[in-house]
Amino acid sequence: MMTSYHRFQHLDNQAGDTIMKIGIIGAGAIGQLYASLWSTAGHQVMLSSRHPESIQLNSSQSNSIAFGTVQEAASFGEVILLAVNYNTVDAALDAIRTATVGKLVIDATNPLVWNKSGGTDRVIHDDEIAGLVMAKRLPKARIAKAFTSLWTGYVEQHSNVDKPTIAMPLAADEAHDCDTVAELIKDAGLVPVVLGTLAESRPLDPPSPIWNVVLTKNELIERTQQFRAELAA
């Protein structure tokens, strides 16, 4: 599996300078955080919800972020961040399906729903990979997987530094999509680590030893290798 890491090793050393139009589906903690970080980095961002008039950003967030409906954000963005709770993912996919044909959709959802005891349940089978499930559900879009593995509080704590060290894993089937997602990760103040294709993206799904843990690039790679070895045993 080491080829997956080395294949895009150059991504860590490239400075992002491309201005993108990004439509964000979901105005919760994930959507608001990355809307703020990417807007600050110079990207054009539209943040959306089913009720865009109710979106409220805190004073530390950029005033340049546009608000819109889910359909408007999907049409606006050349890149889409899907950042909704999994219990509303069906409605979100129905709303964006037409507007995302041929576009890169970064799946930032986790296949978890809250249960009655206050914990979470995984809602896809144990042998399924969330990125592949999403690719089947949006077959005319190009799916990448990223921004799922770190709590937004951790990102806020570690992203605003001159020399980022905290890793954010990603996976996509096409090299140019990995380039795009890696640039957005760097623009959010994090270090991109490519885990390979969607078929290799199981470490991005809960539970795994890299999920919701603050790690450096080398620590993330080491834990991923060990996790894959255990799965293969």
Side-chain angles (χ1 to χ4, degrees):
M1 292 298 182
M2 282 299 292
T3 54
S4 297
Y5 297 115
H6 290 301
R7 184 169 37 170
F8 302 113
Q9 189 77 23
H10 66 283
L11 292 176
D12 289 342
N13 300 318
Q14 292 180 344
D17 57 4
T18 302
I19 303 302
M20 303 183 208
K21 294 176 67 176
I22 307 168
I24 299 181
I25 312 303
I30 294 174
Q32 289 197 23
L33 173 61
Y34 289 105
S36 178
L37 292 171
W38 291 334
S39 178
T40 299
H43 297 293
Q44 300 176 39
V45 178
M46 179 178 286
L47 184 63
S48 73
S49 81
R50 289 171 292 177
H51 306 287
E53 69 282 355
S54 66
I55 299 175
Q56 294 183 345
L57 302 184
N58 63 47
S59 59
S60 67
Q61 293 173 312
S62 172
N63 292 325
S64 63
I65 299 170
F67 300 162
T69 65
V70 171
Q71 293 89 341
E72 287 170 339
S75 297
F76 169 85
E78 57 189 354
V79 177
I80 309 300
L81 179 72
L82 180 62
V84 298
N85 292 327
Y86 219 79
N87 57 2
T88 64
V89 74
D90 291 339
L93 295 181
D94 287 343
I96 70 174
R97 198 176 308 279
T98 300
T100 56
V101 172
K103 292 184 179 181
L104 173 59
V105 176
I106 305 170
D107 178 15
T109 67
N110 281 305
L112 300 172
V113 295
W114 292 103
N115 58 38
K116 293 181 180 179
S117 63
T120 57
D121 293 326
R122 181 178 162 100
V123 294
I124 62 175
H125 295 300
D126 288 344
D127 61 350
E128 289 184 305
I129 296 172
L132 292 177
V133 171
M134 187 60 68
K136 290 179 181 178
R137 302 187 71 180
L138 277 182
K140 296 185 178 180
R142 306 190 322 273
I143 303 299
K145 194 74 178 171
F147 306 108
T148 63
S149 62
L150 270 184
W151 174 51
T152 53
Y154 292 150
V155 176
E156 289 177 315
Q157 292 171 28
H158 295 283
S159 63
N160 188 24
V161 295
D162 292 334
K163 294 182 179 180
T165 60
I166 302 306
M168 174 64 75
L170 69 126
D173 287 342
E174 299 185 26
H176 64 92
D177 289 336
C178 284
D179 289 338
T180 298
V181 179
E183 183 173 330
L184 290 174
I185 289 173
K186 286 181 287 186
D187 287 344
L190 302 165
V191 178
V193 179
V194 179
L195 299 190
T197 65
L198 293 178
E200 297 171 295
S201 67
R202 176 62 182 85
L204 280 161
D205 301 343
S208 91
I210 70 168
W211 193 77
N212 210 24
V213 182
V214 176
L215 301 168
T216 65
K217 172 186 172 180
N218 289 339
E219 289 169 340
L220 188 146
I221 290 174
E222 182 179 356
R223 287 192 178 210
T224 299
Q225 289 176 310
Q226 182 177 357
F227 180 58
R228 286 172 166 167
E230 291 171 355
L231 289 177

